[in-house]
């Protein structure tokens, strides 16, 4: 290619081609300095092949400098605290940048009586079974309307991007407080009325300190305190009613999955209907667990290699991949890698006979579905051909039994579930 460096520059925080062995250490130190002090992004360091065989003096090891905590300004914290304490209808929107501040987010929501909604990257930061949590519901029209009715919205570690909302950001009538490590982000999408720039954990701690001081000073005279549990209960009903007919095909199977998994299980997700319509809103996850979803680019085939990485990093934790039948086939050859590792790895595949999302969009437009109904592949047999295991589960009970076996079977196990539309 003409320039690997230029090709990667468009998607990475920086792209650096080293020209000497010694320069490699500086490039790596630069990368880790960025990880510690700025919005974490992938970086690309290109090492030419001739340098891999070069014999040069490298000098001392270069280390990224230690970074102190990044707390927001005291005045910003006081202003944000005053707005939250006066609010009657407060809400928290949590993104992936809030994950390191899970305890602070949960505590602040409880102190304020504020309901909580998350992006896909923020799933599980606050336990999704908690009475204040709506889980991943930013895409719901009912939830978006509720946000526009809030008098204060606190958004922590989220870009509030269209990939999070599945639409343009709603116009908020109340005060928007944004917490972000990147100062520029407080003006992106929906500009902040109050900006707290810094690490989420440090910012939330400063904000809670300011809330505590103002509550003690006011003696409750100006404290609003929202009615989060009642709001969540009502919004859950509205959200689920919007898509009840569509989501009914997945919910019983997702409940079966949840009944088998430990609290700290890692679930990886594909860009499949069973995941973004099904598991994101309907498969509850708590702070001890993790749910990894291909946000942003919506990459097909993400679930299997992500699950292999997670299981390799945490062999003692349960890891399950969720996918669609044709999404899996973008990376199905990685079953060979999973077999070689010999680690228990269930791969649950919801089979709708092709590209269900595109098929549904064509039908909705009145078009004749074209090139979306694909030949059926026997995916369990394919997994067995790679040296793994495979089975079909045509009921939630059968899925629970197959999943329990797969979690104790070395290597990958593909479990296919027929969607209602294909039974």
């Amino acid at each position: 290619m003409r320039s690997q460096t230029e090709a990667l520059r468009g998607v990475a925080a920086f792209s650096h081609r080293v020209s000497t062995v010694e320069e490699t250490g500086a490039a790596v130190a630069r990368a880790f300095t960025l990880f510690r002090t700025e919005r974490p992004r992938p970086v690309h360091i290109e090492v030419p092949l001739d340098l891999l065989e070069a014999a040069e003096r490298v000098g001392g090891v270069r280390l990224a400098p230690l970074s102190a905590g990044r707390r927001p300004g005291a005045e910003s914290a006081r202003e944000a605290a005053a707005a939250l304490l006066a609010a009657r209808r407060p809400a928290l929107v949590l993104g992936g940048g809030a994950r390191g501040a899970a305890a602070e987010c949960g505590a602040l929501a409880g102190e304020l009586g504020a309901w909580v909604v998350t992006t896909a990257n923020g799933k599980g930061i606050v336990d999704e079974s908690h009475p204040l949590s709506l889980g991943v519901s930013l895409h719901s029209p009912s939830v978006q309307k509720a946000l526009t009715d809030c008098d204060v919205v606190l958004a922590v570690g989220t870009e509030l991007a269209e990939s999070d909302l599945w639409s343009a950001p709603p116009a908020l009538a109340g005060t928007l407080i944004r917490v972000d490590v990147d100062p520029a982000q407080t003006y992106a999408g929906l500009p902040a009325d109050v900006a707290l720039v810094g690490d989420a954990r440090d910012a939330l701690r400063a904000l809670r300190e300011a809330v505590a001081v103002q509550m003690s000073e006011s003696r409750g005279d100006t404290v609003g305190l929202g009615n989060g549990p009642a709001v969540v209960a009502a919004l859950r009903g509205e959200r689920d009613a919007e898509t009840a007919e569509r989501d009914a095909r997945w919910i019983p199977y997702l409940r079966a999955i949840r009944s088998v998994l430990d609290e700290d299980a890692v679930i990886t997700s594909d860009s499949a209907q069973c995941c973004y319509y099904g598991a994101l809103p309907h498969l509850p996850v708590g702070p001890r667990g993790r749910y990894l979803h291909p946000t942003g680019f919506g990459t097909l085939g993400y679930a299997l290699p992500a699950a292999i990485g997670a299981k390799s990093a945490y062999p003692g934790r349960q890891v399950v991949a969720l996918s669609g039948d044709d999404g899996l086939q973008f990376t199905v050859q990685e079953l060979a890698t999973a077999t070689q590792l010999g680690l228990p790895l269930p791969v649950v595949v919801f089979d709708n006979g092709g590209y269900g999302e595109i098929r549904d969009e064509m039908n909705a437009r009145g078009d004749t579905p074209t090139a979306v109904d694909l030949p059926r592949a026997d995916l369990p047999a394919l997994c067995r051909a790679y040296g793994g295991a495979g089975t079909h589960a045509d009921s939630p009970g059968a899925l629970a039994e197959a999943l329990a076996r797969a979690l104790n079977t070395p290597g990958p196990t593909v479990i296919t579930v027929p969607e209602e539309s294909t039974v």
Side-chain angles (χ1 to χ4, degrees), residues 236-257:
R236 278 179 177 163
E238 294 179 34
R239 177 201 69 182
D240 293 345
E242 292 168 353
T243 57
E245 182 178 353
R246 181 195 67 196
D247 298 351
R249 73 185 80 168
W250 303 300
I251 290 176
Y253 290 97
L254 295 171
R255 288 174 179 162
I257 292 171

Side-chain angles (χ1 to χ4, degrees), residues 13-38:
F14 71 79
S15 181
H16 185 116
R17 184 178 190 272
V18 300
S19 56
T20 65
V21 172
E22 185 177 12
E23 188 182 349
T24 307
V28 172
R30 176 189 176 193
F32 279 85
T33 300
L34 181 146
F35 298 154
R36 287 180 169 180
T37 59
E38 299 180 28

